[in-house]
Amino acid sequence: MLRVHFTAEDFARVRFAPRPAPLQELHAALTTAATRGGGLLFAPWHGRVLRALPAATDPLAHLVPAGRPPSFLDVLGDTMADGFEQMRATSPGLIRSELERVYGAMPAPRWSRGLHAGDETAWRTLHRAQRAAYETVLAPVWSVVQDLHRQEFTCYALGVAEHGVAATLTGLAPGSRLHEGVWEWPGAAPDCDVRSIPSHIASVITNRTDTSDQLTNPSKKHALGRVFKGV
């Protein structure tokens, strides 16, 4: 279970992102495709996406062995460039520890070790992979993703006004609950407590959508929440 401990000041700093974050949307879409998430409804889309991805995107798959992405990929930039700059600013220690976490006893690809060493060639490799994946998967439907996100933003803004922050947060993560200032996520792994919430806390509404049918069927949309980067 994940337990996020909030203070009164933390609640006062909760915000909802008014725009979708391209890299978060991209990595969520790729994870859904690679893990065959979404059940039969998404099955035709999985195949189309995986067949369409060019070889330049392979380094992204290298960073997500067994469907376990490192947290430094999860950034909140409003554009691809902003997101990459935030990712590039990640501390070498965090990058190293996250690669060790997702690979465990397996050796990480040689090129990826250059990320925590500050090697520009390694970072260019990652940047090219993300750009190629974005152009293939999201760019053709990005305007629709933005429209769907705007709808979700409005929905959650009204939810906060009518029901308050606590009810809206638990609504973002079905099955979670807020008890005495602690947001509990049953079933989250690994079991941990988060007590020091960074100053850049944000509740990020993201649309996890089937990109088939040009994203126009709202019933295919999942609203997922992230409280803050790196958890």
Side-chain angles (χ1 to χ4, degrees), residues 120-186:
E120 289 301 325
T121 299
W123 282 102
R124 284 196 297 269
T125 297
L126 177 56
H127 189 232
R128 282 196 302 268
Q130 289 178 324
R131 174 56 63 181
Y134 175 82
E135 294 297 333
T136 302
V137 178
L138 284 186
V141 293
W142 185 244
S143 63
V144 185
V145 173
Q146 291 174 309
D147 289 342
L148 292 172
H149 185 96
R150 194 173 298 113
Q151 294 172 19
E152 292 292 328
F153 177 79
T154 301
C155 176
Y156 285 111
L158 292 174
V160 169
E162 184 174 356
H163 303 291
V165 172
T168 306
L169 285 178
T170 55
L172 282 169
S176 69
R177 70 169 188 158
L178 195 60
H179 178 65
E180 297 182 351
V182 180
W183 192 10
E184 299 175 342
W185 293 45

Side-chain angles (χ1 to χ4, degrees), residues 7-145:
T7 65
E9 290 78 9
D10 293 331
F11 278 116
R13 288 186 285 120
V14 170
R15 297 292 184 271
F16 288 82
R19 292 169 294 279
L23 282 179
Q24 280 199 339
E25 298 293 340
L26 175 63
H27 297 149
L30 293 175
T31 298
T32 299
T35 60
R36 307 290 178 174
L40 293 176
L41 180 65
F42 284 73
W45 176 78
H46 295 152
R48 288 199 300 272
V49 167
L50 295 176
R51 287 192 299 271
L53 289 172
T57 64
D58 288 351
L60 287 177
H62 298 164
L63 290 179
V64 191
R68 299 174 297 179
S71 67
F72 64 83
L73 293 180
D74 193 14
V75 292
L76 310 180
D78 288 341
T79 66
M80 290 287 289
D82 289 343
F84 190 78
E85 286 183 10
Q86 290 184 34
M87 191 183 310
R88 185 69 178 85
T90 305
S91 70
L94 177 59
I95 294 174
R96 182 185 297 107
S97 65
E98 280 298 288
L99 289 176
E100 291 173 351
R101 178 182 65 83
V102 299
Y103 272 93
M106 298 183 298
R110 180 176 300 179
W111 77 268
S112 70
R113 296 196 289 271
L115 296 175
H116 58 75
D119 180 68
E120 289 301 325
T121 299
W123 282 102
R124 284 196 297 269
T125 297
L126 177 56
H127 189 232
R128 282 196 302 268
Q130 289 178 324
R131 174 56 63 181
Y134 175 82
E135 294 297 333
T136 302
V137 178
L138 284 186
V141 293
W142 185 244
S143 63
V144 185
V145 173

